[in-house]
Amino acid sequence: MKPQPKLNLLYSRQQIAETVDRLAAELNRDYPGKHPVLIGVLKGSFMFLADLIRLLDFTLEVDFVRLSSYGAGQKSSGKIRVVADLQRSVKDRDVLVVEDIVDTGLTTGFLLAHLRKQKPSSLKLCTLTEKPSRRKTPVAIDYLGFTVPDKFIVGYGLDWDERFRNLPGIYVLEE
Ligand code: IMP
């Protein structure tokens, strides 16, 4: 077993709920009458996506992709591949990618390029968190929850070697 690392609260369950409410209001303003496909990026975005879509009042569909980027640690390999792709094509669809975190941007940048090849009618990005200080490739974020410091964060779907996804708040993992 790994030793128990120290976790410091960054955003409480309540702060996250308020931010998810705000993002849902922005989407409810922008998407009425559009019937978009929301694409959750597994595994980290499952909790955010589940909370977000309950607050959306327009017709929508949900699909998932799974990408490999990080190994069992905190360093990105930089090599990204699609491990599980969408069930249906998003050609001519309004697409909203729902991410847990944009860190270097390599994963999200790769996914957006992958989706763009299918010629969606629109392609937007909603991410709960981003670490702008670590960006290696530019990524346009249309809907942003929190800008986080350059620290490794866990909870609310985000993991450290598969642990801590279940925490209702977001925590900084202290080295
Ligand atoms: P990027 O390609 O560097 O933007 O990293 C994207 C992926 O790295 C995310 O989808 C997460 O799985 C993982 N990741 C990056 N930073 C963190 C973090 O602080 N906590 C947990 N996972 C992270």
Side-chain angles (χ1 to χ4, degrees):
M1 285 297 272
K2 288 196 173 204
Q4 186 68 24
K6 195 165 174 286
L7 303 180
N8 281 329
L9 185 66
L10 185 61
Y11 303 115
S12 66
R13 182 199 286 240
Q14 178 62 28
Q15 283 171 297
I16 295 170
E18 285 167 12
T19 295
V20 176
D21 276 355
R22 193 230 329 137
L23 291 171
E26 292 175 21
L27 295 169
N28 283 330
R29 178 197 65 202
D30 293 352
Y31 279 92
K34 279 198 172 153
H35 193 152
V37 186
L38 273 62
I39 298 181
V41 185
L42 293 173
K43 298 177 193 175
S45 73
F46 75 97
M47 205 177 281
F48 173 42
L49 181 74
D51 283 346
L52 183 69
I53 60 171
R54 273 178 270 206
L55 302 172
L56 300 179
D57 53 22
F58 48 85
T59 306
L60 61 86
E61 293 172 33
V62 174
D63 206 340
F64 293 96
V65 288
R66 187 150 172 210
L67 307 168
S68 68
S69 57
Y70 276 43
Q74 298 183 20
K75 293 240 163 66
S76 174
S77 65
K79 285 191 194 132
I80 295 128
R81 59 195 180 93
V82 180
V83 177
D85 211 338
L86 300 173
Q87 272 187 333
R88 292 193 195 175
S89 161
V90 291
K91 184 170 173 11
D92 299 329
R93 300 297 307 270
D94 290 307
V95 174
L96 179 69
V97 171
V98 179
E99 273 279 19
D100 51 348
I101 188 161
V102 178
D103 182 16
T104 64
L106 294 173
T107 308
T108 314
F110 171 89
L111 175 62
L112 293 173
H114 176 72
L115 294 172
R116 217 169 271 124
K117 282 188 213 148
Q118 292 187 24
K119 307 247 183 297
S121 49
S122 71
L123 180 58
K124 293 202 168 175
L125 172 64
C126 175
T127 183
L128 182 65
T129 66
E130 75 148 341
K131 286 185 206 164
S133 55
R134 303 227 331 142
R135 201 62 34 82
K136 286 189 181 155
T137 184
V139 172
I141 298 173
D142 301 285
Y143 305 93
L144 171 65
F146 301 103
T147 298
V148 300
D150 182 10
K151 305 266 180 183
F152 199 80
I153 57 172
V154 295
Y156 198 69
L158 288 151
D159 75 306
W160 175 64
D161 201 10
E162 295 304 323
R163 293 165 63 180
F164 306 123
R165 292 192 198 275
N166 55 310
L167 298 175
I170 292 179
Y171 294 77
V172 170
L173 189 125
E174 301 296 341
E175 321 249 324

